Amino acid sequence: MFALSRRAMLAGSSAAVVNAAMPAVAQQTTMPAVRMVETNGIRLAVYEAGAGPAVVLLHGFPGLAFSWRNQIPALVDAGYRVIAPDLRGYGLSDAPQAVEAYDITQLTADLTGLLDKFGIERAVLMGHDWGGLLAWQMPLLHQERVAGAIGINTPFVPHWMLWLHPDLVKAARPGEKSFIADPARDPIAQMRAVYSSKMYVLLFQDGHSADEAMERDPRATLRNSMRKDLMTSAEWGRLPPEVANMEYYGQPIPAELPGKDVQTDAELDFFAERFKRTGFTPGINWYRNLTRNWASGLAVDQTIRVPSLMISGSEDVVLRASMAAGMHAHVPDLERQVIENCWHWTPEEKPAELNRLVIAWLKRRFPA
């Protein structure tokens, strides 16, 4: 684990002081104190530390600002101001009930409002999983507020076609050999033509059975979701469609789980306590806006015009490294890196390697 330097602790705002009210596991990882910030009509729980060029860290599903516990002190010691929110619907942040409250318009407005509150004109946005999708959408919708973008595991794929990439498409219907994604068609409608209705993204669209199953035992759900050292990406691709297409949410959780835990017991307890507060529905509501997000972006030029960094995990079976191969066509100023022997939870699986790559890029493009 990294520790905040005396310089960084003194240079940051009062929020950089470890909060005695935080659970012990958060104190041990030198998480900054949490502060509630009003933005876009809601309150976000925000962890801020350091001074210098601003870097905003955006977690994924099911994650928290705490997912960046190994990156925050490293970035601060490198000379950057770090802002890590529990995103809308997560952790201690507000969780509106309406599904449409989680569309891309609201999610990006949360971030522009957050920058306004901190007096920051432009920031580097770094996101993992769904946070990566959000980081890529920010320069499309609010380019004037974005200095640079970093995707961790999540590539930029235009018009929300991410879940239709050929690497992830396995024919769910007999005799189907191939599928060509059409940016002019609703991505959810296209997924229904390819995948079983039990594929997790589609399962999230149809009722709340997945939400209810996941919420019966949040800790077990999180432990089942956050695995590493499973199998290679190639081996995963040879599995039966119902496995490879991730038809597992809502299924009974086996007593013996494959691979290894990403979290320690104490860290997992912290995540579970937060998800007991919110449930999983707010996070799943992000998925329930895919059609709305696609429709709202049809008239938006799908070119990322800021310096960008893409870091993939070599063995990520959800967001495969090969999915970033075509990014240069839409992201002209792009550097690509791959972390070997890394699955999906890169910020927690390979923190030292990730921090090294991110800080090296930041120092080249946005010197502290």
Side-chain angles (χ1 to χ4, degrees):
M1 293 293 181
F2 294 90
L4 287 176
S5 69
R6 179 178 173 81
R7 173 190 63 78
M9 291 288 284
L10 295 174
S13 69
S14 59
V17 180
V18 176
N19 185 355
M22 289 285 285
V25 65
Q27 294 186 37
Q28 291 166 8
T29 55
T30 61
M31 282 291 288
V34 63
R35 59 185 287 191
M36 302 306 295
V37 179
E38 293 187 6
T39 172
N40 190 31
I42 66 168
R43 297 189 314 154
L44 294 182
V46 181
Y47 303 80
E48 180 206 12
V55 181
V56 181
L57 305 180
L58 308 172
H59 65 78
F61 173 84
L64 299 166
F66 186 62
S67 302
W68 301 107
R69 59 195 176 278
N70 296 308
Q71 282 67 54
I72 293 172
L75 289 166
V76 168
D77 275 345
Y80 294 91
R81 181 183 185 184
V82 183
I83 298 167
D86 282 340
L87 294 168
R88 175 181 288 239
Y90 288 91
L92 300 178
S93 293
D94 286 349
Q97 290 189 351
V99 171
E100 58 270 22
Y102 298 87
D103 70 11
I104 197 62
T105 300
Q106 298 300 331
L107 298 175
T108 55
D110 289 350
L111 298 182
T112 58
L114 190 63
L115 295 177
D116 290 341
K117 286 288 185 178
F118 283 107
I120 297 170
E121 182 179 356
R122 299 167 75 229
V124 175
L125 281 298
M126 180 163 102
H128 170 255
D129 189 80
W130 255 104
L133 282 167
L134 185 53
W136 294 125
Q137 291 297 308
M138 278 292 289
L140 294 185
L141 303 178
H142 302 282
Q143 183 178 328
E144 73 282 358
R145 308 307 301 271
V146 181
I150 304 174
I152 309 301
N153 293 69
T154 313
F156 174 69
V157 179
H159 295 297
W160 298 88
M161 296 289 105
L162 182 63
W163 287 277
L164 284 165
H165 190 279
D167 273 2
L168 290 181
V169 172
K170 289 180 73 73
R173 297 180 177 181
E176 188 169 3
K177 298 297 183 184
S178 62
F179 183 87
I180 299 175
D182 181 1
R185 286 184 60 210
D186 176 358
I188 293 297
Q190 293 187 70
M191 291 183 73
R192 293 192 189 282
V194 178
Y195 294 105
S196 158
S197 61
K198 295 181 180 179
M199 190 271 187
Y200 78 103
V201 177
L202 296 180
L203 190 65
F204 289 165
Q205 311 301 314
D206 301 329
H208 286 74
S209 61
D211 314 38
E212 294 165 0
M214 294 167 71
E215 288 169 6
R216 290 188 195 112
D217 188 341
R219 192 181 192 279
T221 294
L222 291 161
R223 183 168 178 253
N224 185 42
S225 299
M226 298 180 181
R227 312 299 299 163
K228 64 179 180 179
D229 296 345
L230 292 160
M231 61 184 68
T232 68
S233 181
E235 289 170 336
W236 184 275
R238 292 192 290 268
L239 293 173
E242 62 272 15
V243 177
N245 289 342
M246 292 161 279
E247 300 174 10
Y248 49 74
Y249 282 118
Q251 302 299 316
I253 298 174
E256 296 285 334
L257 294 174
K260 299 177 182 176
D261 293 333
V262 170
Q263 318 289 352
T264 66
D265 285 344
E267 290 166 346
L268 192 56
D269 288 341
F270 182 87
F271 275 90
E273 192 61 36
R274 290 292 191 257
F275 277 93
K276 286 178 184 176
R277 174 184 180 271
T278 61
F280 291 91
T281 295
I284 293 174
N285 282 342
W286 289 46
Y287 290 88
R288 292 177 175 136
N289 279 280
L290 286 171
T291 293
R292 187 176 287 107
N293 295 342
W294 162 79
S296 68
L298 284 173
V300 177
D301 178 17
Q302 300 292 295
T303 304
I304 305 291
R305 292 186 171 87
V306 298
S308 301
L309 173 64
M310 176 65 215
I311 300 177
S312 303
S314 66
E315 307 305 331
D316 189 339
V317 300
V318 180
L319 300 170
R320 299 190 184 187
S322 59
M323 294 172 68
M327 281 183 62
H328 282 95
H330 300 276
V331 191
D333 187 352
L334 175 68
E335 178 179 322
R336 284 183 59 199
Q337 299 285 351
V338 177
I339 297 179
E340 295 299 325
N341 300 314
C342 183
W343 276 252
H344 181 66
W345 309 99
T346 303
E348 294 155 298
E349 286 183 56
K350 300 284 185 177
E353 294 91 329
L354 177 61
N355 294 347
R356 176 179 58 81
L357 292 172
V358 168
I359 291 170
W361 182 82
L362 285 171
K363 285 185 174 180
R364 289 196 302 272
R365 305 308 302 265
F366 305 98

